Every structure is written in structure tokens, then in C-alpha cells.
């Protein structure tokens, strides 16, 4: 599973780089985007699709900064930082969203284990942050209460 | 594109560059309905954000529809003032935009 994803990803980036250098901006959308994982309806398959495993180790070295109560689920500020060394990726999920996978940040080179963004949450649920460090996956969760949902109209 | 869709602030402090970026994009989920016509508004969202530091990639993000509209993004990496930071986004309709700036 892992290997297949690796192959898919390298092929996609290679194609994008090729398109960029040759000046051909063909919309290569489906190739690069991990549709399977983002369309997954439950946390397990979303995790499996994005990081290749559903097993993570709970860690207190991951800090999730998010409001306890979000008045507007359409805009929930979330900041994730980690004291784990050599973090390769940070994945954010919201447990009870229709499609739980929110984003995956692949960190490279000199990047530090820190990302901050704003997410949509359908209803009160846990925000799960997964950090990849040294080939292992660590996770932390925090509950955010949502008073107005952010999905749908 | 006439108007840039990206705003970036990059500041260096103690060898760490903090990048804050705002992208103007509607991030449509494909689940919302148009109240007047009752038709589903098609999904239109950013699915990839790449960031280069002095030409080398430091971060690439895969986004889903659950990122808020007009996305805000902040991240950090080791660097110094005067370095260049380039941010590129691409959405599911094939549109893209990028902006390069210098670290202050």
C-alpha cells in the first residue's frame, strides 16, 4: 500500500514538473490529488488512504491549538506543533466531518513541525493531528464544540 | 491573472522564518446548494499548495474541501532574511497561481 502510494506520488510530481518546465499547463488534477483518502467517509479509511496505516501512537508531544468552542464551524483556526524530532508530515482530520480527512502537510528539508490553518467542521467532534516522525505515526486529539455547522448550507 | 490571489508575509527571527499566507479562494465543497435555483454548487477548491524556500521545496500540502474559504496558512522553517519564499496553489479545476517574496 505504502509503496503504491509512493509510486503514484512520485509519478504525479514528475509529471507536474515536466508540464511546468515545458510550459504545458495541462490540468493534471486527478493524478496528484489523493482522491481515495479525501473521499473516505470514516476516520479509519481516511487515515489508511493518507498515511498508509490506521495505527498511531498517542503522543503528548503534539500540541493542537484550537478553540474549545467554535462559534462558526466554517472557520475553525487550528495550529499544530510538535516537539517530536524530524517530523515528515502533519495530517489533520476532523472525526465527524462527512469526509474526515482535512489536509496533509508534507514537510521537507528545513521545515519545522508547525502548521496553522483554518478548517471547516460539520459538528462538535475531535480534531485529530497525526505527525510522522522516524517512520512512525503519532497522534493527538482535541475536542472542539461547534455551535453552527460549517458544511452544507 | 490581473490580480494576485496570494498574500504572503515572511519574517525571520532567530534563524526561523515564519510564513503567513492568505489565499483568496472560495473553497466550494460541492455539497452546498444554490438557494435560488436549488442546484448543487459544484466543488471548487484548492487541492495542492507547494512552498519553495530558495528554490528547494520545504512544504507541500494536500488539501481537501474542509479547509475554510479564503484559506489561511502558516508554517515555519529554518532560514534567514533575504531568502526567497515561493508559494503555489492549484485547484481542482486546474487553475493555479503563485507568488514569490523575500523574507524580511
Amino acid at each position: 500500500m505504502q509503496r503504491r502510494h509512493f509510486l503514484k506520488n512520485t509519478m504525479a510530481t514528475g509529471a507536474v514538473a515536466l508540464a511546468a518546465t515545458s510550459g504545458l499547463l495541462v490540468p493534471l488534477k486527478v493524478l496528484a490529488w489523493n482522491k481515495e483518502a479525501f473521499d473516505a467517509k470514516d476516520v479509519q479509511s481516511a487515515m489508511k488512504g493518507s498515511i498508509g496505516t490506521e495505527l498511531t501512537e498517542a503522543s503528548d508531544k503534539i500540541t493542537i491549538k484550537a478553540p474549545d468552542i467554535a462559534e462558526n464551524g466554517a472557520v475553525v483556526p487550528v495550529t499544530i506543533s510538535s516537539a517530536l524530532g524530524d517530523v515528515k508530515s502533519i495530517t489533520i482530520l476532523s472525526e465527524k466531518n462527512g469526509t474526515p480527512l482535512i489536509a496533509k502537510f508534507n514537510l521537507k528539508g528545513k521545515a519545522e513541525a508547525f502548521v496553522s490553518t483554518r478548517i471547516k467542521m460539520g459538528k462538535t467532534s475531535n480534531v485529530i493531528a497525526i505527525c510522522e516522525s522516524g517512520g512512525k505515526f503519532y497522534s493527538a486529539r482535541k475536542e472542539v464544540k461547534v455551535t453552527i455547522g460549517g458544511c452544507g448550507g | 491573472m490581473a490580480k494576485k490571489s496570494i498574500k504572503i508575509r515572511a519574517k525571520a527571527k532567530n534563524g526561523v522564518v515564519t510564513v503567513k499566507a492568505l489565499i483568496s479562494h472560495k473553497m466550494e465543497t460541492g455539497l452546498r446548494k444554490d438557494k435560488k435555483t436549488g442546484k448543487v454548487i459544484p466543488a471548487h477548491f484548492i487541492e495542492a499548495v507547494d512552498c519553495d524556500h530558495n528554490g528547494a521545496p520545504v512544504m507541500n500540502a494536500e488539501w481537501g474541501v474542509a479547509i475554510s474559504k479564503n484559506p489561511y496558512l502558516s508554517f515555519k522553517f529554518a532560514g534567514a532574511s533575504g531568502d526567497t519564499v515561493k508559494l503555489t496553489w492549484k485547484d481542482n479545476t486546474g487553475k493555479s497561481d503563485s507568488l514569490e517574496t523575500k523574507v524580511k
Side-chain angles (χ1 to χ4, degrees):
Chain A
M1 205 57 197
Q2 189 79 12
R3 197 174 59 179
R4 194 194 304 171
H5 271 285
F6 174 71
L7 234 159
K8 213 163 98 185
N9 284 343
T10 42
M11 265 166 64
T13 36
V16 171
L18 198 83
T21 46
S22 58
L24 276 165
L25 273 172
V26 191
L28 287 155
K29 45 182 187 177
V30 200
L31 211 62
W33 197 59
N34 194 347
K35 192 176 189 311
E36 199 185 316
F38 279 105
D39 279 350
K41 299 269 186 276
D42 59 288
V43 177
Q44 269 76 25
S45 40
M47 273 163 78
K48 218 163 192 170
S50 68
I51 60 173
T53 175
E54 52 186 40
L55 300 167
T56 59
E57 204 174 296
S59 168
D60 53 4
K61 285 185 178 164
I62 302 168
T63 315
I64 304 177
K65 214 171 103 187
D68 294 326
I69 297 171
E71 277 178 26
N72 184 357
V75 186
V76 183
V78 174
T79 301
I80 290 152
S81 56
S82 170
L84 293 162
D86 193 29
V87 173
K88 289 266 186 293
S89 73
I90 296 177
T91 308
I92 308 173
L93 298 107
S94 167
E95 218 165 55
K96 286 186 188 149
N97 271 14
T99 51
L101 183 61
I102 291 172
K104 185 180 181 194
F105 297 87
N106 298 305
L107 306 173
K108 288 173 187 166
K110 297 169 183 164
E112 304 218 337
F114 171 97
V115 287
S116 176
T117 188
R118 297 192 294 221
I119 65 170
K120 290 176 199 163
M121 287 178 74
K123 52 183 147 181
T124 300
S125 93
N126 280 325
V127 172
I128 308 172
I130 302 167
C131 288
E132 180 186 357
S133 166
K136 275 181 142 183
F137 293 97
Y138 300 91
S139 66
R141 51 192 68 206
K142 182 182 193 300
E143 194 189 37
V144 176
K145 285 199 167 68
V146 175
T147 45
I148 306 169
C151 293
Chain B
M1 205 177 271
K3 204 175 151 218
K4 277 284 173 193
S5 63
I6 309 173
K7 279 186 195 166
I8 312 181
R9 292 272 177 282
K11 262 188 180 167
K13 197 181 174 189
N14 301 330
V16 177
V17 176
T18 305
V19 180
K20 289 179 182 171
L22 267 175
I23 304 168
S24 128
H25 200 282
K26 56 188 178 183
M27 298 298 282
E28 205 58 71
T29 58
L31 301 169
R32 245 156 46 95
K33 279 184 183 161
D34 189 314
K35 278 184 184 131
K36 282 179 197 139
T37 61
K39 279 189 189 150
V40 173
I41 303 169
H44 186 200
F45 59 97
I46 295 174
E47 54 183 24
V49 181
D50 292 330
C51 186
D52 291 350
H53 166 230
N54 287 345
V58 284
M59 201 246 354
N60 67 60
E62 300 162 34
W63 281 3
V65 292
I67 295 284
S68 300
K69 111 180 173 186
N70 297 333
Y72 164 79
L73 169 68
S74 173
F75 56 96
K76 294 176 181 179
F77 57 83
S81 100
D83 291 357
T84 59
V85 173
K86 191 182 176 195
L87 198 83
T88 310
W89 63 256
K90 190 165 75 67
D91 71 16
N92 65 331
T93 61
K95 276 193 201 130
S96 69
D97 198 4
S98 77
L99 184 70
E100 191 169 302
T101 188
K102 274 206 158 45
V103 177
K104 277 180 192 159

